[in-house]
Amino acid sequence: MTAYPPDRHDFSRSAPVRLWEDGFAPDPHRYYDALRAQGPIGWAELAPGVPAYVITDRRAALDVMHDTRTFSHDPRGWEETVPPDSPVLGMMRWRPNALFSDGAAHLRYRTTLIDVFDLVEPHDLRGRVHRAVRLLAGRIGPRGEADLVADFSRPLMALVLNDLFGLPDSQSDRLNEGLGKMMEGGAQAVEGETQFAQYVLELVAAKAERPGDDLPSRLLAHPAELTCEEVTWQVFLTLGAGYEPTANLLSNTLSRILGNPLYYSTLTNGARPVMDAVVEVLHHETPLANYGTYYAREPVAIHGVWLREAVPIVVSYGALGQFAERYVTGGRSPKDASHLSWGAGSHACPVKQHVLLLVTEAIERLTQWLPDLDPVLPRERLAWRPGPFHRSLSALPVRFSPRSPASPADPSGVRT
């Protein structure tokens, strides 16, 4: 066993900052401040009895994310220390996919994902988003009121992803329910993981029997020759990573736009691009707040902290965004250069451009179709979903002038 260096800080006897508490969702920055007070790496709990190191310093985060010799994404050593019913296991347990692999296995899985997503042309993705917006707009427009989380952001992502993955619109609710429970990491997390896993198993089995023009079929046919099990876990990853964070990025951006009347007025007349708001959210309110997870291959000291094996090391994108402006140099824009929401190093998000296109197109179409969206509640009164991993609104109620979908020939996209 490696001896503990006496000049390095060890948190094993310190009280952890409990990211699973009810107070974290409404006021995460109070918890980030407590972690930051401990230094560049703090000591936290992701669930009762599940400790983790949490990185709140940009330099420390980049050092970990780029050092593949010292740090691994494989959680199997940690899993042996966690009760089988732990509510965070659904998000963190090992699976043979790109997220939880290193080295050659990671490169193989990541390459297949990049290859199949590269076949999704921007105009094709844009068309799928427009179709989903039209469908949802037809449902909510005549009512004059809606919850832009439950009625727009989450169902839009389910519609687009089911379309890309070759499932009918009728399957959208299953995707929403299972992933929502798993992401929150609460009492229903195990049930949500089971529901989502069953959804994916049925999907891959159907595509293996009858391939189509969709992402799972392309994975099954890829020259890397992934097994059905490997394809299942790549689909598990891409559906999960595509759905929850993107839906939250969409609703968080809408919330930021609607919460600033000057911003919304310039947005709806085209003076300020949607991308500005998206980048602001990635900077200040990133949807995956605490999910950059690594493990030391052996005990190691970094930035004055002694990191033990089999303890998660979590890059807190949420905490980094709060104070990232101070790290920007060379005259670069803080919004573009400071946040690390896409990750860094070999595990950086491979479909960043797809996500940005999807979110910006969805917001542009919605705000063109409903140009007078009016939030029911001030932004400070909005509720946030529990869970240590994400920054996700519970609801975003709005009012607007009732409208009905226009005919396809009407370029304005609306009629009153």
Side-chain angles (χ1 to χ4, degrees), residues 126-203:
R126 189 176 289 112
R128 295 173 193 266
V129 174
H130 293 177
R131 169 187 169 273
V133 172
R134 284 196 303 270
L135 180 61
L136 296 172
R139 295 176 185 173
I140 67 176
R143 302 195 322 234
E145 60 181 14
D147 171 4
L148 293 184
V149 173
D151 297 330
F152 184 73
S153 297
R154 296 180 70 81
L156 181 133
M157 283 310 306
L159 288 167
V160 171
L161 287 175
N162 273 344
D163 202 9
L164 286 169
F165 282 78
L167 285 174
D169 296 344
S170 59
Q171 295 293 305
S172 299
D173 289 344
R174 289 182 64 197
L175 180 62
N176 182 17
E177 184 178 1
L179 276 171
K181 292 176 183 176
M182 192 171 78
M183 178 66 80
E184 290 183 3
Q188 294 184 304
V190 174
E191 179 185 351
E193 181 187 7
T194 301
Q195 290 176 336
F196 180 48
Q198 185 62 36
Y199 179 90
V200 174
L201 284 168
E202 292 175 9
L203 167 60

Side-chain angles (χ1 to χ4, degrees), residues 301-325:
I302 178 173
H303 288 262
V305 177
W306 184 246
L307 303 179
R308 299 175 181 271
E309 295 173 281
V311 178
I313 305 162
V314 179
V315 176
S316 177
Y317 304 122
L320 290 171
Q322 184 183 15
F323 295 103
E325 291 91 342

Side-chain angles (χ1 to χ4, degrees), residues 22-28 146-150 248 250-260 281 285 374-386 391-399:
D22 291 341
F24 175 68
D27 187 12
D147 171 4
L148 293 184
V149 173
N248 295 339
L250 179 53
S251 56
N252 291 2
T253 303
L254 282 166
S255 169
R256 185 168 289 271
I257 290 170
L258 298 179
N260 185 338
V281 168
E285 214 161 62
D374 182 30
V376 173
L377 297 173
R379 201 159 191 272
E380 61 272 16
R381 289 182 56 194
L382 295 174
W384 299 86
R385 292 166 60 200
R391 183 68 171 154
S392 173
L393 281 166
S394 297
L396 181 56
V398 294
R399 301 187 187 95

Side-chain angles (χ1 to χ4, degrees), residues 95-279:
R95 302 175 181 99
N97 63 30
L99 181 60
F100 299 112
S101 302
D102 302 307
H106 169 252
L107 180 61
R108 178 168 172 260
Y109 294 146
R110 182 181 174 89
T111 299
T112 61
L113 294 178
I114 291 173
D115 288 348
V116 299
F117 273 95
D118 278 350
L119 296 174
V120 180
E121 296 288 347
H123 72 272
D124 176 43
L125 181 57
R126 189 176 289 112
R128 295 173 193 266
V129 174
H130 293 177
R131 169 187 169 273
V133 172
R134 284 196 303 270
L135 180 61
L136 296 172
R139 295 176 185 173
I140 67 176
R143 302 195 322 234
E145 60 181 14
D147 171 4
L148 293 184
V149 173
D151 297 330
F152 184 73
S153 297
R154 296 180 70 81
L156 181 133
M157 283 310 306
L159 288 167
V160 171
L161 287 175
N162 273 344
D163 202 9
L164 286 169
F165 282 78
L167 285 174
D169 296 344
S170 59
Q171 295 293 305
S172 299
D173 289 344
R174 289 182 64 197
L175 180 62
N176 182 17
E177 184 178 1
L179 276 171
K181 292 176 183 176
M182 192 171 78
M183 178 66 80
E184 290 183 3
Q188 294 184 304
V190 174
E191 179 185 351
E193 181 187 7
T194 301
Q195 290 176 336
F196 180 48
Q198 185 62 36
Y199 179 90
V200 174
L201 284 168
E202 292 175 9
L203 167 60
V204 174
K207 297 306 173 182
E209 181 178 343
R210 184 174 295 181
D213 184 18
D214 51 64
L215 294 176
S217 299
R218 293 171 188 169
L219 283 171
L220 287 162
H222 193 277
E225 297 183 340
L226 271 61
T227 66
C228 274
E229 180 185 9
E230 288 176 318
V231 169
T232 297
W233 291 121
Q234 307 323 304
V235 172
F236 190 99
L237 167 63
T238 51
L239 267 177
Y243 179 81
E244 275 284 340
T246 311
N248 295 339
L249 178 59
L250 179 53
S251 56
N252 291 2
T253 303
L254 282 166
S255 169
R256 185 168 289 271
I257 290 170
L258 298 179
N260 185 338
L262 293 176
Y263 201 148
Y264 188 43
S265 65
T266 58
L267 180 70
T268 53
N269 65 25
R272 190 172 185 181
V274 172
M275 187 63 74
D276 282 5
V278 174
V279 175

